[in-house]
Amino acid sequence: PPLAPWQLPHCITTNPRPHSVIKRSEFRKRMQSFNEVAFRGRVNKALETVQQILQRARHPIYAADASHTYTDKYVLGNLLVRLALSSTIQALCVLGLTEKDLGTLVEWNKSTTVSLRFAAEEKCTFVKETKREQESATRTETTGHVGSISFGSSSKTVTTITEYEWKYEGNYKIIAFRGVGADAADQIVIKAREYSREIVTGSKSNPKTEHHLLPNQDVNISWLLEHVQGDKSVKFEIDREKDTCRTPRRNEDVGDALSALLKLSTWAAQVKHFFFNSLFQTAQLGLSSSEKRLDFAGISTLGVFVPVVPLFIEVEGGGQVTLEQSDVASFLSEQTRTLVEKSTAVGNTLPSDPTGVVCGQDAHVCICSLHISDIVSGLVEGVNYIEHMLYQQLYAAVGKEVTSADFAAFNKFHNRKLFREDVQPLPFCYAVRRSPKHSPEGVLSIEGSSGGVDGNVKEPVFTHVMGGTAAAPMKFNINAATSVQFKGERYLHAWLMHTFSGQGAPEVELVAQARQLSSFIVLIGKIACADTFEPKYAMIVQNKDDFRVPLCLTTLPTPKEFKDAIESMSPEQQEFCKAWRAMQLESTLFAVCVVQIKPLLERVLNLPPESLSKEIKLTQDLTELFIKYQIPADLLTAGTIETAPAPPTEDGFEVVAGASAVDKVAEVKGHVAAMRELIDEEKKKQITDAAQTAVFDAYESGMVPQTMSETYDDPFGNVLQTASVQEFQPTLMSMPVMSAPAAKSRRSAPGGAVFKAMFGGISKSAAPAPQRESMVAPPPPPPPGGGPPSAAPVRMAAPAAPPMPAQMQQKQQQQAAPQVQQVEKKPDTSKPVERLVGVEESSAGEGVADVPDYTKLPAQLDKRLEELDTSNAVRPTIIAAGETWTKKAMASLMSKAPTTTILEEEGLREEKSKAFELLDALTRSGALIVEEAALHVVIGATHTFDKGLVDTVVQDNVNPVVQVERSSLIMASSIMQTPAAQLIKGEHLERVKALTPALFPVEALMDLQN
């Protein structure tokens, strides 16, 4: 079965047509759906007749050309339906329904249904076979001479013709009946006729069907008869008090009238189809060349007056009025006169024998049927003309075709006017920084386009946001054995979207951009429970990286739709559906966590805060060692691992013992340099091993004698010597250094071609290479103050420092002694700076701060929407990251243009692995709590409109601004746990209260007044 609208996922990864093309085509389709040129052409012909009917002092004009009110459009709609009903009754009476029969049908309709039926039957039976001879019209003569004697002969061709005679019989009838019409007393015959003729053919195949009983064509006319009064007048009025009444065109009463009359028009078309496609063709069947063929082209309604015209009457002296009852009677009289004249004139052109296949009565039935269809077409055009006027007036008032992009821009303007300054929706665009005094590391934003001419221009989406500092840590797992806790800032966003029918899927994406020489980590996932964040994707954003993550939006059923869907299910089925919906609602919580790298580096390396703020190269080297080589943090830590701080002094300052920040940074630099040297040596060793393997393979292949002793240079300038293959060792470091005289001639090493292919040639040196020094570095000196020495790195040596000036040496000696630094005591971070509002909290036990439970928000919002969303249009929306990302990265610092990479399954897995490996190193596998983090939780909902923007305004008579305004207030008050009256500016309170009183309980208004 086809999916419901809420079951269709709106994935932003699709690339719709340009919004400008969509806008133009939709506007053209809407304006061309009503053909005003053809409509005015038909009405102009009727205007001549109307002017002849009316008095000279009264002039008919188009409704659009008259000055009128909105109520006048309802009056015009009532008039058009009354004219259609009256003229239809008149057409049925001309067809054969008497006034007495009409009264009987009205009485029947009070207790049962009344219908019209067209029934027809055809028979064609074989009569006889006849043979006859027919001479040709030409004669052949032959003459000749034999001597003086002449002779001649003549001949004719005689053809034997076999003819087959058929008898064709048929009948049709139009009746009105009540109920099912089982008895003759329940039927009234309006028109009936029987006919027959002989058909002669040249073959024995039946020219028609031997016996064909056409299916009965029935139409219910009960609605039509309900509005007929005893004097044949009709009564119709649009009930503007009904909830279903939207406009003069879009209301239940006009809808019922169109439905009933369109069915009658379809029935009339089927009657006409029988005559033109069956009976009239049979009349021409089997005619000889001498018989006259009938002309049916004159059977039309040309010249018949259709009184259903949307006109106002202009009175001399000023003013416009609608048609009066006397005018309606004059219109109906003219309709009857022209209809009778037309059917009589056409009937006179046909045979008068009522038993023949075709006679004047058939033309009469056809013209009445065509006229009924014309009446219904006039009504449809008339009421659509009223709606067309509204479209034109809206366009004239606004001055342009309003698009969904224009509506989105207006909503931003409207929200600034509606909400108080402290609760206005804000753009989802946040700088990643340690504090306001630090420069941003980058930007995190959610950007989207709303369509329109500038629909490709993406801007940050606007959300209602509540923020604060975490009171208790949350956690996320980076593997099965490691869980990382994090604190920092928490933001709760309520994002309300809106979509109109025919609008292209909005392109929404999460954007993470880093500045040059900056870096941070982004985790994308969802909230699993009160204290757990589940990241599905992760990435390291650094050095002008630009990640763009498409977001897929999937709408769920509205609360009322879900309730209606499970109403007739069993209790077990309902429980299953409710459990599934609970899971879906929690999936609407989209979460993004940003983790800053430099503060974590400082903590894990035992460095003072902000000591790496200007150490750009050191930060990049540390990041590379952690990610690429997975070096344990303990090998790079300055001094001992961080211990508990000393108790504060009486004046409120903490005592910090140990080396200065400069010394600690220098020590980390030394460890990094030593680790770099070790890595470089390992790289050289791998290259040398590869070269040595190539030499060994050359000896094994017998390229040189095995007893031949040679000297040669390796790729790194070392002079090597080997006496035989047996003395050749697998590692280059253990080989003896050559001490032969410099004058000794040397040749290229065996396998030189292999060396040249790998290293581009070997440089020969005349002097022996010096002996290599040991790679084992001495242990570092103990830290100042006599603290315990740090673990000495294996096979590392710190680079020699340049000599320092005397003043610097003296300053360093002063700092070497134990010292006490006075620093301002940090505030206790165990207490929240600002408590998050709008979420329930779950107790984590005695001594542990409460944790906000975001997972309860979707159910609370769903309940509020069920109570307050009277339009039943707001759908919870699942927000999920797409699976095809775009990454723009600079190849180097001096690169001019970025390199674009499309990340899919394998690429996303690699990005996540790098980010998790770095987090594992920076947190010592979860031992350290991440203090500098920002968690953004987004709960989404979509206000869906069943029609386009302009159609919503014109056809549904709905102000979408008020609809979205109510939905925004519901979401904002639910998330912030604040009455709507406290969110709105005072000048808008009374207006909003009058439009949506359910949002303003009496208690909230009293509190606001107090």
Side-chain angles (χ1 to χ4, degrees):
L3 296 177
W6 53 264
Q7 293 175 309
L8 299 176
H10 303 287
C11 187
I12 53 80
T13 54
T14 57
N15 186 17
R17 296 174 295 165
H19 294 281
S20 59
V21 176
I22 294 176
K23 185 201 73 172
R24 289 196 301 268
S25 63
E26 288 178 351
F27 176 72
R28 187 181 300 113
K29 179 180 178 181
R30 180 166 57 250
M31 298 305 290
Q32 289 182 351
S33 61
F34 177 79
N35 192 340
E36 187 174 5
V37 175
F39 169 76
R40 284 184 175 267
R42 185 183 67 82
V43 175
N44 285 337
K45 295 180 181 179
L47 279 176
E48 299 176 3
T49 304
V50 172
Q51 185 62 63
Q52 294 174 357
I53 298 173
L54 299 177
Q55 301 174 2
R56 295 184 59 182
R58 305 168 69 223
H59 306 285
I61 59 174
Y62 282 94
D65 299 335
S67 176
H68 62 277
T69 63
Y70 186 67
T71 302
D72 292 335
K73 289 184 171 65
Y74 277 96
V75 174
L76 183 59
N78 291 329
L79 176 63
L80 290 174
V81 176
R82 292 195 200 106
L83 286 172
L85 293 176
S86 299
S87 55
T88 301
I89 296 296
Q90 287 294 103
L92 291 176
C93 291
V94 173
L95 180 63
L97 184 66
T98 64
E99 184 174 350
K100 178 181 178 182
D101 294 337
L102 178 62
T104 303
L105 296 181
V106 172
E107 289 296 324
W108 285 356
N109 191 64
K110 294 179 180 179
S111 58
T112 185
T113 60
V114 178
S115 304
L116 292 179
R117 171 177 294 170
F118 176 79
E121 182 181 10
E122 294 178 329
K123 293 180 181 180
C124 187
T125 58
F126 178 72
V127 178
K128 62 182 178 179
E129 178 180 341
T130 303
K131 292 184 179 181
R132 62 183 177 87
E133 293 182 352
Q134 181 177 352
E135 295 182 355
S136 62
T138 60
R139 183 176 61 179
T140 304
E141 293 185 358
T142 305
T143 61
H145 299 273
V146 178
S148 60
I149 301 173
S150 60
F151 60 89
S153 65
S154 63
S155 64
K156 284 187 177 182
T157 303
V158 178
T159 304
T160 302
I161 300 175
T162 303
E163 295 179 336
Y164 302 91
E165 185 176 339
W166 307 83
K167 184 178 182 180
Y168 172 75
E169 298 175 301
N171 65 84
Y172 68 82
K173 61 181 178 180
I174 299 175
I175 64 172
F177 63 93
R178 60 178 175 181
V180 295
D183 300 329
D186 298 332
Q187 300 178 3
I188 295 178
V189 178
I190 299 175
K191 188 70 68 176
R193 193 171 78 86
E194 294 182 356
Y195 47 87
S196 64
R197 65 160 292 198
E198 293 181 356
I199 301 176
V200 178
T201 63
S203 64
K204 201 172 182 179
S205 59
N206 197 327
K208 301 288 290 184
T209 306
E210 184 174 356
H211 187 191
H212 183 205
L213 185 63
L214 274 69
N216 293 335
Q217 305 297 333
D218 295 350
V219 60
N220 192 320
I221 59 171
S222 296
W223 185 91
L224 179 66
L225 296 174
E226 286 177 3
H227 296 80
V228 177
Q229 306 298 311
D231 56 350
K232 292 179 53 178
S233 63
V234 297
K235 181 180 180 182
F236 176 84
E237 193 78 22
I238 299 174
D239 188 357
R240 301 182 63 178
E241 300 299 325
K242 289 184 179 180
D243 295 336
T244 56
C245 182
R246 297 287 182 262
T247 66
R249 166 63 179 86
R250 308 289 171 170
N251 57 79
E252 183 178 344
D253 298 308
V254 172
D256 292 342
L258 290 175
S259 176
L261 292 177
L262 283 172
K263 291 178 182 178
L264 181 61
S265 176
T266 302
W267 175 84
Q270 292 170 342
V271 173
K272 184 211 72 169
H273 181 272
F274 166 77
F275 285 97
F276 278 91
N277 292 75
S278 179
L279 188 61
F280 291 167
Q281 291 183 2
T282 304
Q284 309 283 23
L285 189 63
L287 293 179
S288 63
S289 58
S290 61
E291 293 180 308
K292 182 181 178 181
R293 292 185 171 271
L294 301 177
D295 183 14
F296 302 107
I299 301 178
S300 68
T301 56
L302 184 63
V304 179
F305 176 62
V306 179
V308 186
V309 284
L311 301 174
F312 284 148
I313 305 300
E314 185 178 29
V315 182
E316 291 184 358
Q320 293 86 25
V321 297
T322 58
L323 294 175
E324 299 176 354
Q325 189 62 34
S326 59
D327 298 328
V328 173
S330 300
F331 283 7
L332 296 178
S333 298
E334 180 65 16
Q335 174 211 6
T336 304
R337 185 187 69 80
T338 55
L339 180 60
V340 172
E341 285 185 358
K342 180 69 175 181
S343 60
T344 302
V346 175
N348 292 335
T349 63
L350 299 178
S352 59
D353 183 8
T355 61
V357 176
V358 175
C359 69
Q361 177 179 315
D362 301 331
H364 181 75
V365 174
C366 286
I367 292 176
C368 289
S369 300
L370 291 172
H371 183 59
I372 290 175
S373 297
D374 291 344
I375 293 171
V376 178
S377 297
L379 176 62
V380 173
E381 288 183 350
V383 293
N384 286 341
Y385 175 68
I386 297 175
E387 187 170 88
H388 182 70
M389 286 193 296
L390 292 173
Y391 278 113
Q392 290 181 322
Q393 292 169 349
L394 178 64
Y395 185 87
V398 178
K400 61 173 295 186
E401 170 73 7
V402 184
T403 65
S404 57
D406 300 326
F407 183 76
F410 177 81
N411 265 338
K412 298 176 185 178
F413 164 81
H414 183 69
N415 287 334
R416 289 195 298 268
K417 300 290 185 180
L418 177 66
F419 289 97
R420 289 179 13 223
E421 296 292 338
D422 55 337
V423 294
Q424 286 185 0
L426 300 176
F428 192 105
C429 185
Y430 293 86
V432 181
R433 65 169 82 205
R434 297 183 69 169
S435 66
K437 68 179 182 179
H438 291 82
S439 296
E441 300 282 323
V443 176
L444 179 74
S445 63
I446 295 180
E447 299 179 357
S449 61
S450 302
V453 177
D454 56 348
N456 293 328
V457 178
K458 293 184 174 61
E459 296 179 348
V461 301
F462 279 70
T463 63
H464 291 278
V465 57
M466 292 295 298
T469 304
M474 293 182 68
K475 63 182 179 180
F476 61 86
N477 296 329
I478 57 178
N479 54 53
T482 304
S483 178
V484 177
Q485 292 184 316
F486 66 96
K487 293 184 178 179
E489 298 174 337
R490 306 279 170 82
Y491 296 94
L492 177 61
H493 303 265
W495 180 20
L496 177 66
M497 297 156 276
H498 62 269
T499 58
F500 293 94
S501 176
Q503 176 183 346
E507 296 182 1
V508 186
E509 57 188 9
L510 177 70
V511 180
Q513 297 172 319
R515 293 191 174 186
Q516 188 66 275
L517 305 177
S518 302
S519 59
F520 56 91
I521 301 174
V522 178
L523 308 174
I524 303 174
K526 63 180 183 179
I527 303 298
C529 58
D531 62 344
T532 302
F533 166 57
E534 285 187 357
K536 184 178 181 181
Y537 302 101
M539 55 189 172
I540 301 173
V541 189
Q542 58 182 342
N543 299 331
K544 298 193 74 174
D545 284 349
D546 185 349
F547 282 85
R548 295 190 176 266
V549 183
L551 299 182
C552 294
L553 311 177
T554 305
T555 56
L556 302 177
T558 65
K560 293 180 181 178
E561 287 176 345
F562 174 78
K563 186 176 181 180
D564 294 340
I566 67 171
E567 184 178 5
S568 59
M569 290 185 177
S570 67
E572 293 78 11
Q573 294 168 344
Q574 290 184 2
E575 289 299 325
F576 172 79
C577 293
K578 290 178 181 179
W580 193 267
R581 182 172 177 82
M583 180 271 295
Q584 288 179 319
L585 290 176
E586 291 190 12
S587 300
T588 61
L589 289 175
F590 176 73
V592 181
C593 184
V594 180
V595 178
Q596 300 187 37
I597 294 178
K598 286 183 181 179
L600 280 177
L601 281 173
E602 293 166 355
R603 291 194 62 200
V604 75
L605 297 176
N606 198 22
L607 296 175
E610 302 187 19
S611 57
L612 293 180
S613 297
K614 298 181 180 180
E615 298 291 341
I616 305 301
K617 187 176 185 307
L618 178 59
T619 302
Q620 292 182 334
D621 289 342
L622 288 168
T623 304
E624 182 181 7
L625 291 175
F626 287 141
I627 298 175
K628 187 173 182 180
Y629 301 104
Q630 301 182 5
I631 302 300
D634 294 345
L635 298 182
L636 306 174
T637 303
T640 58
I641 298 178
E642 187 178 25
T643 58
T649 59
E650 295 180 357
D651 54 0
F653 289 88
E654 296 179 354
V655 179
V656 180
S660 65
V662 177
D663 293 336
K664 288 190 174 184
V665 172
E667 183 180 353
V668 172
K669 286 183 178 180
H671 295 330
V672 171
M675 189 61 65
R676 281 288 188 189
E677 183 180 355
L678 174 61
I679 293 173
D680 292 341
E681 290 294 335
E682 287 296 324
K683 290 180 179 179
K684 291 180 180 180
K685 181 176 179 297
Q686 291 180 3
I687 297 175
T688 305
D689 289 346
Q692 199 71 16
T693 301
V695 174
F696 184 80
D697 292 341
Y699 271 96
E700 287 290 331
S701 62
M703 295 176 62
V704 296
Q706 292 188 355
T707 58
M708 185 175 182
S709 178
E710 299 180 354
T711 60
Y712 55 92
D713 295 340
D714 75 347
F716 307 103
N718 300 313
V719 181
L720 307 178
Q721 179 182 18
T722 177
S724 64
V725 176
Q726 287 79 6
E727 298 175 356
F728 195 82
Q729 299 297 326
T731 59
L732 185 64
M733 300 300 299
S734 61
M735 298 186 66
V737 179
M738 187 190 77
S739 58
K744 181 179 179 181
S745 62
R746 294 173 296 173
R747 300 187 309 164
S748 297
V754 179
F755 268 98
K756 291 180 181 180
M758 296 176 62
F759 305 106
I762 304 173
S763 62
K764 299 182 180 181
S765 175
Q771 182 69 30
R772 291 182 179 269
E773 296 182 0
S774 172
M775 294 184 62
V776 180
S790 59
V794 182
R795 297 176 63 85
M796 294 190 298
M804 293 185 296
Q807 296 179 354
M808 185 69 71
Q809 293 180 1
Q810 183 178 3
K811 182 177 180 180
Q812 185 174 8
Q813 291 174 359
Q814 294 175 358
Q815 293 177 350
Q819 58 183 351
V820 176
Q821 299 179 359
Q822 289 187 344
V823 297
E824 185 178 356
K825 184 178 180 181
K826 298 180 180 180
D828 186 5
T829 58
S830 63
K831 298 180 180 180
V833 176
E834 180 182 352
R835 179 168 178 168
L836 282 174
V837 180
V839 294
E840 293 188 2
E841 298 177 348
S842 59
S843 177
E846 185 177 358
V848 181
D850 292 335
V851 180
D853 190 356
Y854 296 109
T855 59
K856 295 183 178 179
L857 284 173
Q860 297 175 3
L861 179 60
D862 201 52
K863 183 178 180 181
R864 290 270 292 172
L865 290 174
E866 183 180 359
E867 297 173 352
L868 302 176
D869 181 23
T870 56
S871 61
N872 192 28
V874 182
R875 306 178 185 277
T877 303
I878 297 176
I879 309 171
E883 298 180 352
T884 303
W885 299 8
T886 302
K887 176 183 178 181
K888 294 182 180 180
M890 306 296 289
S892 63
L893 183 65
M894 303 304 294
S895 299
K896 295 183 178 180
T899 302
T900 302
T901 306
I902 302 299
L903 299 178
E904 294 182 340
E905 184 177 0
E906 186 63 29
L908 297 180
R909 189 183 300 110
E910 291 179 2
E911 293 289 339
K912 181 178 180 180
S913 176
K914 292 178 183 179
F916 278 8
E917 288 172 359
L918 181 58
L919 282 171
D920 185 70
L922 296 181
T923 61
R924 295 199 185 110
S925 296
L928 296 180
I929 298 179
V930 179
E931 299 285 350
E932 290 78 8
L935 177 66
H936 297 268
V937 181
V938 184
I939 180 170
T942 304
H943 191 116
T944 57
F945 293 91
D946 296 334
K947 299 177 181 177
L949 174 58
V950 179
D951 292 340
T952 300
V953 177
V954 174
Q955 296 183 9
D956 293 344
N957 196 28
V958 169
N959 185 357
V961 176
V962 175
Q963 298 278 333
V964 176
E965 176 185 86
R966 180 180 65 242
S967 302
S968 298
L969 287 171
I970 294 174
M971 290 196 68
S973 60
S974 301
I975 297 301
M976 300 178 183
Q977 297 292 307
T978 303
Q982 300 181 16
L983 303 176
I984 305 174
K985 293 181 180 179
E987 58 267 27
H988 295 280
L989 183 59
E990 292 300 325
R991 177 187 64 82
V992 178
K993 178 185 174 183
L995 293 174
T996 54
L999 282 173
F1000 302 92
V1002 179
E1003 298 79 4
L1005 292 176
M1006 293 178 61
D1007 293 342
L1008 184 64
Q1009 293 174 358
N1010 295 332

